[in-house]
Amino acid sequence: MRWRHQAAARACALAAGVFALSACATPATYGPLGADNQPFGYRDHPNADGSHTIFIVADSAPSAHAFWDQRAREICGDTAYQKNIFRAQRPVVSTTGYAVNPYGGGGSYQQDVYGSFVLEGYLRCEAVVPPTASESMPEPTSGQNSAPEPNPTP
C-alpha cells in the first residue's frame, strides 16, 4: 500500500513539473496576432479622430506593456505619444467536474484556468505644433527699443 502512495506522489510531481515546463516553453514573441498561428502579439486599427486602438495579447503584464509601447513607437515614430489603457485583464475560466479516486470513491472539483494577459487602449501621437504668431516675432536687439518713446513737451 505504501508503494502505491509513493508512486502516485511521484506521478503527480512529474506531471506538475511537465506542466510547469510546458507553460514556459513558448515565450511571447512580438508580432501581429494570427501571423504563423502566433498566440501572442498585437492588432491595431486607426480611428476616425486620428488616434489608434491597440490590442495586445501576451503571457504576462510586463510583456503586454512592453508590446504596447513598442507598437506605439512603430506607429508614432520619434514623436511623443499619449496612451489611454481602457482594458487590462487576465481572463479566468472556472471549470467543474467529477474525478474518480483510484483508491475508492471520488468527488467533484473546481479548477480555475488563467488565460493570456490582454491589454487594450487608445494611442494618440502628439503632432509637432507650429509656433504661434507671438512666438515667431523676432526679439528686439539691444540697440533697438521695443516701444517708441513719448515725445517730450516743450
Side-chain angles (χ1 to χ4, degrees), residues 1 20 32 49 60-62 67 72 79 86 91 94 102 108-109 115 121 129 140 143 148-150 152:
M1 186 72 147
D49 65 352
S60 67
F67 284 3
T79 62
F86 60 83
S94 294
S108 62
Y109 67 90
V129 179
E149 292 188 26

Side-chain angles (χ1 to χ4, degrees), residues 2-81:
R2 184 170 185 221
W3 181 82
R4 284 185 177 175
H5 289 291
Q6 289 175 347
R10 279 192 222 115
C12 287
L14 179 64
V18 168
F19 179 72
L21 289 176
S22 67
C24 299
T26 56
T29 55
Y30 179 78
L33 279 172
D36 300 326
N37 294 325
Q38 182 171 325
F40 304 123
Y42 67 86
R43 181 176 58 229
D44 62 77
H45 61 84
N47 300 322
D49 65 352
S51 66
H52 285 77
T53 300
I54 299 177
F55 177 78
I56 302 290
V57 179
D59 60 345
S60 67
S63 293
H65 284 279
F67 284 3
W68 207 99
D69 289 333
Q70 184 173 352
R71 186 62 184 149
R73 285 189 302 274
E74 289 174 358
I75 292 172
C76 294
D78 291 336
T79 62
Y81 61 86

Side-chain angles (χ1 to χ4, degrees), residues 89-135:
Q89 73 182 88
R90 176 165 237 150
V92 178
V93 177
S94 294
T95 59
T96 57
Y98 184 83
V100 177
N101 185 341
Y103 302 110
S108 62
Y109 67 90
Q110 182 173 351
Q111 154 182 323
D112 292 337
V113 178
Y114 293 87
S116 299
F117 195 83
V118 175
L119 192 66
E120 188 171 13
Y122 297 121
L123 166 71
R124 181 173 300 282
C125 301
E126 294 180 2
V128 176
V129 179
T132 61
S134 63
E135 292 175 345

